[in-house]
Amino acid sequence: NAGVTQTPKFRVLKTGQSMTLLCAQDMNHEYMYWYRQDPGMGLRLIHYSVGEGTTAKGEVPDGYNVSRLKKQNFLLGLESAAPSQTSVYFCASGPRAREQYFGPGTRLTVT
Amino acid sequence: GENVEQHPSTLSVQEGDSAVIKCTYSDSASNYFPWYKQELGKRPQLIIDIRSNVGEKKDQRIAVTLNKTAKHFSLHITETQPEDSAVYFCAAIERFQKLVFGTGTRLLVSP
C-alpha cells in the first residue's frame, strides 16, 4: 500500500514548455485534489475530482488542465509553463472531502 | 466562497511553553475544521480536527476549540517540544466539498 504518490519529484522547465504531473493512489479513493503551495500563501486548490471521469475548477485553475480517466490517477497538465507557475505541487486523495491524504509533493521551477 | 484567515504567521516559543494559533472563517455553513502540520520539506499531515457540533477536542498535548457564533477556531499546543517546530495550517470545509486553507503559521520551539 503505497498511499499517494507523485511523479516526478522535481522538474525544471523553460517558459513555454509543457509537462504533466501524475498523482496515483492505491486506496480506492473517490476524491482527488491538486494544490499549489507558495511561500506565505498556504495551499491553494487548482482542480479537483469527486470521481472517475469528473473534474472541477478550484481557486486557481488558470494555466492548468486535469484529467481523471482512471479512478486511481489524477493528472495535472501545464500546456505552456510560465515563471508564475514555479511552486510546490501537492496532490491529495480521500474517501470523502474532509479526509485528505497528501502526496510527497513535486517541486517545479520554470525559468 | 469560504475565506480562512490565520494568525500569527510566525510564532516563537521556548520549550515547555504553550502555543496558540487562531483562525477565522467566513461561511457559516462550514462544518468541519481540520489542522495540518507540515515539517520542512514534507507533506502536510492531519493532526486534529473538529466538527461544528463540538466545542472542544483534545488529543494529548494538542487541543482545538471552536466558537461557531464568532466563526473562529484555535489550535492549542501545551508543553511544546522542539519536534513541534513546523508550519501549521488550519482549514475549513467549504459547502462544495473543498477544503479552504489558511496561510499557515510557522512555529519555532527553541530548546
Side-chain angles (χ1 to χ4, degrees), chain B residues 5-109:
Chain B
E5 296 190 356
Q6 183 172 349
H7 300 280
S9 57
T10 58
L11 180 58
S12 295
V13 300
Q14 292 291 121
E15 183 176 359
D17 288 350
S18 294
V20 180
I21 302 170
K22 299 181 179 181
C23 291
T24 61
Y25 62 99
S26 60
D27 189 349
S28 57
S30 292
N31 59 10
Y32 174 74
F33 308 91
W35 286 87
Y36 285 81
K37 175 183 180 182
Q38 185 179 29
E39 296 176 352
L40 188 63
K42 301 289 182 64
R43 72 191 78 188
Q45 292 194 303
L46 178 68
I47 56 171
I48 195 168
D49 55 18
I50 191 167
R51 301 192 180 196
S52 59
N53 59 349
V54 175
E56 182 176 4
K57 184 177 179 180
K58 289 184 179 180
D59 183 3
Q60 299 183 329
R61 294 186 298 107
I62 61 174
V64 57
T65 59
L66 171 65
N67 183 327
K68 283 187 62 179
T69 303
K71 290 190 282 189
H72 66 69
F73 56 112
S74 300
L75 178 70
H76 305 252
I77 306 174
T78 59
E79 302 173 20
T80 53
Q81 301 168 2
E83 52 264 38
D84 293 329
S85 295
V87 178
Y88 292 80
F89 293 97
C90 63
I93 194 157
E94 199 250 16
R95 61 183 73 203
F96 296 113
Q97 303 178 324
K98 298 176 288 183
L99 280 179
V100 178
F101 287 85
T103 50
T105 296
R106 183 174 299 278
L107 174 64
L108 176 61
V109 181

Side-chain angles (χ1 to χ4, degrees), chain A residues 85-108:
Chain A
Q85 294 177 304
T86 293
S87 188
V88 179
Y89 292 85
F90 284 100
C91 172
S93 75
R96 56 193 69 84
R98 60 183 61 193
E99 189 175 342
Q100 295 189 23
Y101 300 90
F102 283 82
T106 295
R107 186 174 296 275
L108 175 66

Side-chain angles (χ1 to χ4, degrees), chain A residues 24 30 33 36 38 43 49 52 57 68 83 87-88 93 97 101:
Chain A
E30 292 292 338
Y33 303 83
R36 60 177 290 172
D38 303 293
L43 291 154
S49 169
E52 181 178 316
K57 294 181 180 180
R68 182 103 182 263
S87 188
V88 179
S93 75
Y101 300 90

